[in-house]
Amino acid sequence: MFKIGNVEIENNVCLAPMAGICNSAFRRIIKEEGCSLVFAEMVSDKGLIYNSQKTKDMLYCDECERPIAQQIFGSDKDTFVEAAKMVYEIMKPDIIDINMGCPAPKVVKNGDGSKLLLDLPKAYEIIKEVVKSVSIPVTVKFRKGWDNDNIVAVDMAKIAEDAGASAITIHGRTRSEFYSGTADWNIIKSVKENVNIKSKASEKNNHFKFFKEMKAEVKRITWPSKDDTKKALIAVGVICSNFLSCS
């Protein structure tokens, strides 16, 4: 058992947010199989602010899904804060997760997702204000950087910690890499060595062989550790071609 803020997580299996996949029905299936923490797919801050019923419908969750984290994406501090408050009032999740890692063109063209890795002061202000606006833990997901000329994972982790985030998730690829090649586990190791908050690694792969490799990498970068904040959850593949999450 470990904690993210004041939220107790029973075991080391987490379901990462997958757009178009992680609805309530899917999350309940995963819960029944023993997953301790599930993330709902990301919702748009502006979709909530503009009162989109489709976006609001995505906030449905059943009590059996708890603890649950709801991910939000956006890039405007004020709308992000209002959206976080709306998520809390409508859904009352256990955790709010800020997306600063999505590489999708339709997301980054608006300055959202991984585009925020090019503006760390702005990222800091968003995290800080969201943390202040809700009474539940806030976590942040981000990538290694925007491209090979902008590797900012360690700086981003420190910013998230300073802004009050309770945990972070790192995807060991740049935005320009999308999901190609292999994740950079050394940058994840560097992040864990430079912050004290709970750190998670996120990956995408559809080969069973990779799960064993990922487990070995997680062990290499975090074990042994006398400090629980430095230990890592082991990834579990859910379905092919979707995210894995470990902490």
Side-chain angles (χ1 to χ4, degrees):
M1 179 181 293
F2 67 98
K3 285 187 175 183
I4 295 178
N6 61 351
V7 179
E8 291 188 351
I9 314 299
E10 290 186 358
N11 59 49
N12 60 352
V13 182
C14 299
L15 172 68
M18 299 177 281
I21 299 292
C22 286
N23 58 23
S24 180
F26 183 78
R27 298 191 303 260
R28 279 178 277 169
I29 291 172
I30 301 305
K31 274 286 187 178
E32 289 173 2
E33 296 302 319
C35 183
S36 61
L37 174 64
V38 295
F39 282 71
E41 62 182 302
M42 65 182 186
V43 295
S44 164
D45 64 341
K46 291 181 174 61
L48 290 170
I49 296 301
Y50 296 150
N51 206 32
S52 164
Q53 190 57 50
K54 180 179 179 181
T55 303
K56 287 184 176 181
D57 288 345
M58 293 170 69
L59 299 179
Y60 172 81
C61 79
D62 190 280
E63 284 299 307
C64 70
E65 299 176 46
R66 297 187 184 280
I68 183 171
Q70 177 61 58
Q71 189 177 84
I72 309 172
F73 73 95
S75 55
D76 179 83
K77 178 183 67 177
D78 294 334
T79 56
F80 222 120
V81 166
E82 290 306 309
K85 291 177 180 178
M86 290 179 69
V87 167
Y88 180 73
E89 290 300 320
I90 296 170
M91 182 183 181
K92 291 186 169 53
D94 301 282
I95 296 167
I96 284 179
D97 187 52
I98 297 176
N99 183 308
M100 294 187 174
C102 181
K106 66 180 181 180
V107 172
V108 299
K109 73 177 183 180
N110 296 318
D112 307 341
S114 57
K115 192 63 176 288
L116 286 163
L117 297 177
L118 294 175
D119 192 344
L120 298 190
K122 186 176 186 179
Y124 171 81
E125 289 299 322
I126 289 173
I127 299 166
K128 182 181 73 172
E129 293 304 317
V130 171
V131 168
K132 286 166 56 177
S133 71
V134 293
S135 59
I136 56 177
V138 173
T139 60
V140 187
K141 182 176 181 180
F142 55 90
R143 284 179 169 251
K144 173 182 175 180
W146 177 256
D147 55 28
N148 286 333
D149 294 324
N150 294 276
I151 306 300
V152 298
V154 172
D155 290 337
M156 184 66 216
K158 291 178 179 178
I159 281 172
E161 184 171 47
D162 290 344
S166 296
I168 53 176
T169 302
I170 313 100
H171 187 136
R173 291 181 178 83
T174 63
R175 187 271 172 176
S176 62
E177 291 176 293
F178 280 75
Y179 304 104
S180 63
T182 58
D184 182 351
W185 288 94
N186 288 322
I187 196 71
I188 297 170
K189 182 175 187 291
S190 294
V191 167
K192 292 188 69 64
E193 290 173 344
N194 280 278
V195 295
N196 293 313
I197 55 175
K198 198 71 179 176
S199 303
K200 298 181 287 177
S202 180
E203 175 57 298
K204 182 174 184 177
N205 199 293
N206 61 358
H207 298 293
F208 179 76
K209 177 185 176 184
F210 170 77
F211 302 154
K212 294 182 179 179
E213 295 171 354
M214 186 175 183
K215 181 178 178 180
E217 288 293 342
V218 170
K219 185 176 181 179
R220 178 179 70 83
I221 67 175
T222 64
W223 193 271
S225 175
K226 295 180 180 179
D227 182 355
D228 283 341
T229 65
K230 298 295 184 182
K231 292 183 180 179
L233 294 182
I234 303 304
V236 175
V238 179
I239 55 178
C240 288
S241 299
N242 281 308
F243 287 106
L244 310 172
S245 185
C246 70
S247 191

